[in-house]
């Protein structure tokens, strides 16, 4: 969620592809975890880092990448900022 912005949410994604190589038969053991910044305060520019994604195999992080804002979010009206 976004705070004090014209929109209540911020679309997030990866700026580039994310690839992980694993041994045959290991794909089902992978999981992903999103780690979002606790407070995303407007204005947010397209491309701002707002969290990260981790590809895990059990407790081990195999790969991670930044999550970025896919769209800009302008500062909200005075009523949204209080």
């Amino acid at each position: 969620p976004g705070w004090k912005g014209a929109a209540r949410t911020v679309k997030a994604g990866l700026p580039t592809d994310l690839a992980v190589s694993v041994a045959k038969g290991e794909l089902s053991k992978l999981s992903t975890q999103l780690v979002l910044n606790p407070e995303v305060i407007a204005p947010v520019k397209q491309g701002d880092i707002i969290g990260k994604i981790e590809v895990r195999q059990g407790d081990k992080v195999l790969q991670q990448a930044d999550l970025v804002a896919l769209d800009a979010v302008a500062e909200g009206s005075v009523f949204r900022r209080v």
Side-chain angles (χ1 to χ4, degrees):
W3 294 90
K4 301 182 181 187
R8 291 186 184 268
T9 59
V10 179
K11 290 183 182 180
L14 297 171
T16 59
D17 291 339
L18 178 65
V20 177
S21 296
V22 294
K24 187 174 182 176
E26 296 292 308
L27 183 61
S28 64
K29 297 179 183 176
L30 297 183
S31 64
T32 57
Q33 182 174 352
L34 296 177
V35 181
L36 299 175
N37 294 349
E39 288 189 13
V40 177
I41 300 175
V44 176
K45 296 183 293 235
Q46 184 178 8
D48 281 356
I49 296 172
I50 58 174
K52 66 181 176 177
I53 186 168
E54 297 176 341
V55 180
R56 297 174 162 264
Q57 187 173 27
D59 291 334
K60 183 179 178 184
V61 176
L62 299 178
Q63 184 71 278
Q64 67 180 16
D66 290 331
L67 284 175
V68 299
L70 296 178
D71 298 317
V73 176
E75 190 173 57
S77 69
V78 68
F79 297 107
R80 293 294 304 258
R81 289 183 272 146
V82 287

